Amino acid sequence: MSSSIIETIKARLDLVDEVGQVVKLQKTGRAFKALCPFHNERTPSFYVFPESQHWHCFGCHESGDIFTFVQKAQGLDFPEALRYLAEKAGVSLDEQPGYDAAQQRELAAQRERLRQLNEDAQLWFHQALLRLREAAPARAYLQSRGLTGETVIAFGLGYAPDSRDALCRYLLSQGYSEQELVSAGLAREPEDGQGLYDYFRNRIIFPIRDPRGQVIGFGGRALGDGQPKYLNTPQTALFEKNSVLYAFDRAKEAIKQANQVIIVEGYIDAIMAHQYGTRQTVACIGSAITEKHIQQIKKLARRITLALDPDAAGMAATEHGIQEALRSLERTIVPVPLPVPRQERRGQAGGARAIIRLEEEVDAQIDVLLLPAGQDPDEVIRQNPARWEEALAHPLPLVDYYFVAKTADLDLRQPRDQALAARRLLPIIGMISDRVKRDAYVRKLARMIHVDEQSLYNELQRSLRGRHPSVAEIVVPAESGRREVDGSRKGRGRQRQSPQAPAPLPARPALAQTGLDPSGKAKTETLSPASSAEVEDARAGALAGARVSAGPDGKGLALDRGGLDRVEWEDYLIGLLLQHPGLSQHVCGIINDGDFIGTDTRELYHFLNSLYQRGSSSFHQPLEQLLPSALLETAARAQRRVEAASPLDGAGLIKAATQCATRLKRMRLMQLNTELRYLIQEAREAGDLAAVHELEHQLQEIHRQIREIHLRTNLQG
């Protein structure tokens, strides 16, 4: 897929029109503003810039172009958004290299036929539930579970009669073939050659829909003693159990607005939650939360609340879901202050310096609803709505949940079980980067198992010392003024390697605190054009190291300040990550998806970074098996960009990647700086003092980040 196709699509479509279909835009000078569709807010902080065809929310800090907006607004992945926008723009994807137009048209026709078959089956099931006399037990069961008639109709619930081939006979009469019925998972071929028989019989039917609301499969609950109790459509061209979330099509708007998704275990759990107003609820089909589920969810919300059944199986599913979420969610790099070593505190002329360690932190909140024993979510909602609301308002934070789950089978009055509780919980406490929270949980554990706090602290420290660190340590001047920054060039504030860290890899760049005056108060001055130039000049020497010298043939790639445009810098960084996936750990704390202006490079960075963060071993597979086909040409282009440069060793690679990421980050910040100044000027002219105040606050944050980059590049030398 050529990036020129992406650019053609963007040239033919107007971001303002696309955004305007979702939110009400208000013209403000040369920009448009609105309430952000991706988080709750009272004052508009979402801006669309027609000239650059990009959007940015100064509230939740999400940003992007028309592709990212469609992906976030509709819950689509990149290939789906590409097809959607290409169709809107009248751009054919058939003529792209490696694209078999005839084959793709045939596959698309088959999938569309399968969708229509599922829709017809759903209508038949639904009418059977509403009209057939023999469906009375099914209707009575749904009523006994507290579902209203409106809910049954809204979710399109149905009934499969206790008949060998009633559905098959109907669908065959509508012109579908026997093979189509089998391919859709609606019928089976018997070994006795007696003709097709219905896959679902004597069951309540729950239609399963994709994010667009199209029926792709079914779940059936047995009536009476039928086994298995729940039966799902087998895997088809449309339906894959491990990637579908039930009710996601109805929940996605509420998920975006609440910035939260609630995951329950069963169909009726999800339906009951919607009936009682908790519309950000979805259910896993088969109860196991998978990476594909998390990939869908994290596009819409940064808070995941698990409300699985409170029995042993549910507790196990909850822990599995937590681990899957932790593995699949993005991470940010956060600075963690460490105690100043005693030898550095004594006799230090310039005052004590803080030691900062960088740690990874999941960029989301995970919590758990603790429900009464023996009651599923739908029972709690129906029998005690106030108890459900209370659980929603006060979910257990992740660590608190582990305190409950990891000690549920222990008698904490017994010394043996007390020791076991400590062994189970101390590693979890040790993962908390916030020292205040970590200390609080140590005290909580000490009270729980009736032991001395100091003993637990000692054991925790031994555990932390034995843990192989994946973070860097850096000494940062206590006063981050210009004097200290200049001093860093003479060795003060120099980055140092953690003694246990792998020797060949330099530490990650620090996110040091900057922008404080000598009293420790935050500076509030604005960044004048002169100070912008000062930052640029100060960075020039630091970024000069990103230059890649010419190779033996004299045709090397020069990565100097003026040698490449922004897209070429993006290509170079992507090329480095493709050839050396381990570099992701060194750049993910510097740059994020929103810092890329190229749609294809942004998606490729997101894909590669997600793979690395999940600890994927699939990097050993061929590239064409890893990447979406739409990004293969971009990947090849990025690799050519790196291959044109002289080879670099391990330290040189890390330096080139981090400095390239830093340059791209700074470019994005300077762009935001310009846009904010423009918006502030317009707000002043309009007399909107509240907007001026809010935008100036955002401008100060941008300036803080620019100063942070300034300090970082000096420390990195």
Side-chain angles (χ1 to χ4, degrees), residues 341-386:
R342 186 174 301 172
Q343 62 271 24
E344 293 197 18
R345 290 200 299 264
R346 293 196 300 263
Q348 184 177 329
R353 293 175 293 170
I355 296 179
I356 299 297
R357 183 177 70 219
L358 298 180
E359 290 190 353
E360 290 184 345
E361 192 173 83
V362 175
D363 188 20
Q365 177 183 340
I366 304 171
D367 47 37
V368 180
L369 293 192
L370 198 62
L371 301 177
Q375 288 191 304
D376 296 344
D378 81 285
E379 294 175 302
V380 177
I381 295 170
R382 179 162 41 96
Q383 297 173 11
N384 193 348

Side-chain angles (χ1 to χ4, degrees), residues 576-577 580-588 612 650 653-655 657-658:
L576 288 176
L577 293 173
H580 308 279
L583 292 174
S584 291
Q585 66 174 310
H586 298 278
V587 303
C588 66
Y612 174 79
L653 282 169
I654 294 170
K655 187 172 185 179
T658 55

